[in-house]
């Protein structure tokens, strides 16, 4: 018997942990699936509550009634305007206020972030305005501006301004000192440093402030459209609430939510296009 045969006769180790024997790691459930299940569950509970009359239909109409109300809003409308006309009026006010707040808020934020004098002058005004609810200064705006479209846009713009100003100033103050010093060492003027270094670096913060401002504007919309309005989603909801047309109220809330989600999605797309590096920070 040779050495090789002796080795072959020895018992060979058994591989108990092969790749096939290892349990496969379970893949996590996508967030979109979890969100979809949540929405379906909420609608299901809502449908059960209305089907078994757990809540009066006056206070909680069924999902089918709300869908019918949405269809009627699109086709025939409510309070002398279709859903498209109400949405158009509200979007006009929202975007008018957004443009006004951007034109005022970005320069004010730059002044706060780059100048001690600007910060000393504007910071108290912003901090005074930021915690105030829109209904607090709505009567004063009506006295100063009147009851036309200008008052509605002004109220919405005032609710948007603090977010844009604070986000812009934070973005300006967060610019890397190395980038600023490098630009100055290459002979850049103050204007060039501001326009070619500071502002591009602050764009992600500015866009975040605009997204927050849009949310604040939608929350103010209903209050703004209480002032002598004849159209708008907020006006439609308030008019339906006065007559206990709850299905129209819920339909209006759903429309506001869907539009807000759509605008948020568009804002994120714009942010990815303008500042693709921001998501990788």
């Amino acid at each position: 018997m040779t050495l090789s045969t002796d080795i072959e006769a020895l018992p060979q180790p058994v591989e108990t942990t092969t790749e096939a024997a290892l349990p496969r790691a379970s893949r996590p459930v996508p967030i979109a699936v979890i969100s979809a299940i949540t929405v379906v569950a909420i609608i299901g509970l809502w449908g059960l509550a209305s089907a078994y009359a757990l809540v009066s239909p006056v206070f909680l109409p069924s999902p089918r009634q709300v869908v019918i109300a949405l269809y009627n809003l699109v086709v025939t409308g409510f309070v002398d305007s279709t859903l498209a006309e109400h949405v158009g009026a509200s979007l006009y006010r929202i975007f008018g206020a957004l443009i006004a707040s951007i034109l005022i808020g970005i320069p004010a934020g730059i002044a706060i972030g780059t100048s001690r004098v600007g910060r000393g002058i504007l910071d108290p005004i912003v901090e005074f305005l930021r915690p105030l609810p829109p209904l607090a200064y709505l009567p004063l705006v009506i006295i100063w501006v009147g009851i036309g479209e200008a008052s509605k846009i002004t109220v919405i713009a005032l609710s948007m301004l603090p977010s844009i100003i604070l986000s812009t100033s934070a973005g300006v103050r967060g610019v890397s000192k190395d980038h600023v010093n490098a630009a100055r060492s290459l002979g850049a003027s103050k204007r060039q440093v501001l326009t070619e270094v500071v502002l591009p670096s602050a764009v992600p913060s500015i866009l975040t402030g605009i997204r927050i401002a849009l949310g604040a504007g939608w929350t103010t919309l209903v209050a703004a459209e209480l002032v002598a309005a004849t159209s708008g989603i907020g006006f439609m909801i308030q008019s339906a609430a006065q007559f206990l047309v709850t299905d129209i109220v819920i339909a209006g809330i759903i429309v506001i939510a869907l539009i807000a989600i759509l605008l948020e999605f568009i804002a994120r797309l714009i942010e990815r296009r303008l500042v693709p590096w921001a998501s990788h920070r």
Side-chain angles (χ1 to χ4, degrees), residues 35-48:
S35 300
I37 292 173
T38 303
V39 172
V40 171
I42 292 173
I43 295 176
L45 292 173
W46 175 14
L48 288 174

Side-chain angles (χ1 to χ4, degrees), residues 153-179:
I153 293 175
T154 301
V155 169
I156 299 172
L158 287 174
S159 69
M160 290 180 170
L161 262 177
S163 300
I164 296 178
I165 293 175
L166 294 175
S167 297
T168 303
S169 63
V172 170
R173 288 198 298 267
V175 175
S176 173
K177 300 297 182 183
D178 294 335
H179 295 169

Side-chain angles (χ1 to χ4, degrees), residues 167-255:
S167 297
T168 303
S169 63
V172 170
R173 288 198 298 267
V175 175
S176 173
K177 300 297 182 183
D178 294 335
H179 295 169
V180 174
N181 293 332
R184 287 174 177 170
S185 66
L186 293 173
S189 62
K190 289 184 178 180
R191 183 183 60 81
Q192 289 174 324
V193 170
L194 177 63
T195 58
E196 299 181 21
V197 178
V198 175
L199 278 179
S201 298
V203 166
S205 295
I206 294 172
L207 292 177
T208 300
I210 291 173
R211 285 166 49 195
I212 297 172
L214 275 173
W218 279 110
T219 59
T220 312
L221 179 69
V222 175
E225 290 182 342
L226 286 173
V227 184
T230 57
S231 62
I233 302 177
F235 166 75
M236 180 187 75
I237 291 174
Q238 291 294 330
S239 300
Q242 290 177 357
F243 299 100
L244 291 179
V245 189
T246 316
D247 51 357
I248 297 292
V249 174
I250 296 176
I253 293 171
I254 292 173
V255 170

Side-chain angles (χ1 to χ4, degrees), residues 80-169:
D80 300 326
S81 297
T82 63
L83 180 61
E85 291 171 340
H86 285 302
V87 170
S90 295
L91 289 177
Y92 168 77
R93 291 159 188 153
I94 287 288
F95 284 111
L98 180 64
I99 292 171
S101 57
I102 287 174
L103 292 177
I104 298 172
I106 292 179
I110 293 172
I112 291 174
T114 58
S115 170
R116 291 178 65 254
V117 176
R119 185 173 184 179
I121 295 173
L122 296 174
D123 206 37
I125 300 174
V126 175
E127 291 303 320
F128 173 78
L129 189 63
R130 182 174 58 85
L132 285 179
L135 288 176
Y137 47 77
L138 180 59
L140 187 61
V141 171
I142 295 174
I143 294 172
W144 286 352
V145 184
I147 59 173
E149 289 296 321
S151 63
K152 302 174 185 60
I153 293 175
T154 301
V155 169
I156 299 172
L158 287 174
S159 69
M160 290 180 170
L161 262 177
S163 300
I164 296 178
I165 293 175
L166 294 175
S167 297
T168 303
S169 63

